[in-house]
Amino acid sequence: MKVGVLTGGGDCPGLNAVIRGVVRKGVQEYGYEFIGFKDGWRGPVEGDTVRLDIPTVRGILPRGGTILGSSRTNPFKAEHGVRDIKANLAKYEVDALVAIGGEDTLGVAARLHGEFGIPCVGVPKTIDNDLSATDYTFGFDTAVGIATEAIDRLHTTAESHMRVLVVEVMGRHAGWIALHSGLAGGANVILIPEQRFDLDQVCAWVTSRFKASYAPIVVVAEGAMPKDGDLVLKDAVSRDSFGHVRLSGVGEWLAKEIEARTGKEARTTVLGHVQRGGTPSAYDRWLATRFGLHAIDAVRDGDFGKMVALRGTDIVRVPIAEATAKLKTVDPALYQEAGVFFG
């Protein structure tokens, strides 16, 4: 059997660990051949490939990013995209695809399998941890660790200058990174997309902290919105091939509003791509490796149209379509827990 592997969407710590797990077990235990498709779904659409074997994946476990490259290519938006994928899979004699990605990448895999019979197995990847059907996605732990370290460092400079420091983290639709890093880093305000925030309340919390002779840290997810406003966009017109607008600037907007309303100096730190770059944490290496091992088992079993998922400490298989049907967002009860520390 020859198996194709691709990584799509935003890069993420742990992608190389998945590739390594898939290839090592596939070659050593099942005698499979592997071919990598470059840059997400662009690879099978254009027939852009690279050889994958054990020497290729040696030493990539601690590396961030992906040796296969990534993109946000949507084959359903490309002319003859699906036709070209089928033709290239036949050309390279690929019997199955392992698609490693988030909601968009796996959504394509679900359609290719369900509507066109292409044998796909999915592996969930996103630092946002917003894929349903799995307890955690790899990349999330690394992103939270990076954001927490940044918040820890910002506490000292905030106290030195008695400023408000606003930390903008990733999270388009889900506030998992903001919630986890904000709580772990001792933030005084955490704002997430799931709960529209009251700007007056935010300023009241900020003022309260200054009265206690303490400089506040405000953590805000990029998709958070005020009660009487909307998303802050980098470009209201430009969208990617999956229809997503580019978010950017809620942290800067919030800092200006806080400074104008409270009279306290406010500065912004936007963590951006720092959160998903660099070396994956030990947990993400462990989880990504296990996902890879179980993904190739699903290929061996012919259990296509499935995604490997973490349930407790077990790796299970769930339909890709089910996993991508809706996003996993922060439960209001979890957010209320953090509210004890606001203000």
Side-chain angles (χ1 to χ4, degrees), residues 9-310:
D11 65 298
C12 175
L15 283 167
N16 287 323
V18 179
I19 297 169
R20 173 178 174 268
V22 167
V23 173
R24 284 288 296 270
K25 188 169 188 178
V27 172
Q28 291 177 194
E29 298 198 11
Y30 304 137
Y32 293 165
E33 292 182 62
F34 289 88
I35 184 170
F37 286 102
K38 297 285 288 182
D39 304 332
W41 289 111
R42 186 191 69 79
V45 168
E46 300 181 7
D48 191 358
T49 67
V50 62
R51 178 183 174 86
L52 283 180
D53 52 21
I54 289 180
T56 304
V57 301
R58 189 168 289 134
I60 67 172
L61 176 64
R63 285 176 55 182
T66 165
I67 62 169
L68 294 178
S70 190
S71 74
R72 297 192 183 277
T73 300
N74 183 352
F76 291 100
K77 293 293 180 67
E79 186 177 6
H80 309 308
V82 175
R83 184 196 68 182
D84 291 342
I85 287 177
K86 295 174 72 174
N88 283 317
L89 292 181
K91 174 183 176 181
Y92 292 104
E93 301 179 321
V94 174
D95 301 296
L97 268 178
V98 175
I100 311 165
E103 174 196 10
D104 297 324
T105 301
L106 295 183
V108 170
R111 287 190 63 185
L112 289 176
H113 175 73
E115 299 176 22
F116 301 95
I118 295 176
C120 296
V121 169
V123 178
K125 170 243 53 164
T126 169
I127 67 168
D128 289 333
N129 198 41
D130 60 359
L131 271 175
S132 60
T134 185
D135 290 349
Y136 287 99
T137 54
F138 68 88
F140 173 67
D141 184 73
T142 303
V144 169
I146 292 169
T148 301
E149 181 181 356
I151 294 167
D152 286 345
R153 292 175 179 275
L154 290 170
H155 272 293
T156 55
T157 191
E159 293 166 12
S160 296
H161 298 277
M162 290 305 287
R163 291 172 176 157
V164 184
L165 287 185
V166 177
V167 184
E168 182 183 317
V169 299
M170 286 184 169
R172 176 182 293 272
H173 302 295
W176 293 107
I177 295 176
L179 181 65
H180 280 240
S181 64
L183 196 57
N188 309 114
V189 181
I190 302 170
L191 306 176
I192 62 176
E194 294 87 343
Q195 302 279 336
R196 284 182 175 262
F197 60 88
D198 184 332
L199 191 53
D200 289 333
Q201 179 62 73
V202 171
C203 290
W205 284 327
V206 166
T207 301
S208 172
R209 297 308 291 175
F210 277 113
K211 287 181 179 178
S213 298
Y214 188 84
I217 300 287
V218 178
V219 175
V220 56
E222 61 185 348
M225 293 179 286
K227 286 184 176 180
D228 57 352
D230 208 338
L231 289 170
V232 178
L233 306 178
K234 185 177 184 64
D235 184 343
V237 178
S238 177
R239 293 174 181 265
D240 66 21
S241 62
F242 289 97
H244 299 307
V245 293
R246 297 177 64 189
L247 302 182
S248 178
V250 66
E252 191 65 33
W253 175 85
L254 185 60
K256 290 178 180 177
E257 289 291 329
I258 290 173
E259 186 167 310
R261 293 173 182 235
T262 67
K264 300 294 185 180
E265 186 178 3
R267 299 289 180 86
T268 305
T269 298
V270 181
L271 296 185
H273 291 77
V274 170
Q275 294 157 92
R276 69 186 198 201
T279 301
S281 68
Y283 179 85
D284 280 339
R285 298 184 204 187
W286 171 84
L287 180 58
T289 297
R290 292 189 70 203
F291 276 161
L293 298 176
H294 284 262
I296 199 62
D297 284 346
V299 170
R300 176 203 59 184
D301 296 340
D303 199 5
F304 300 117
K306 297 293 181 63
M307 181 191 87
V308 292
L310 180 69

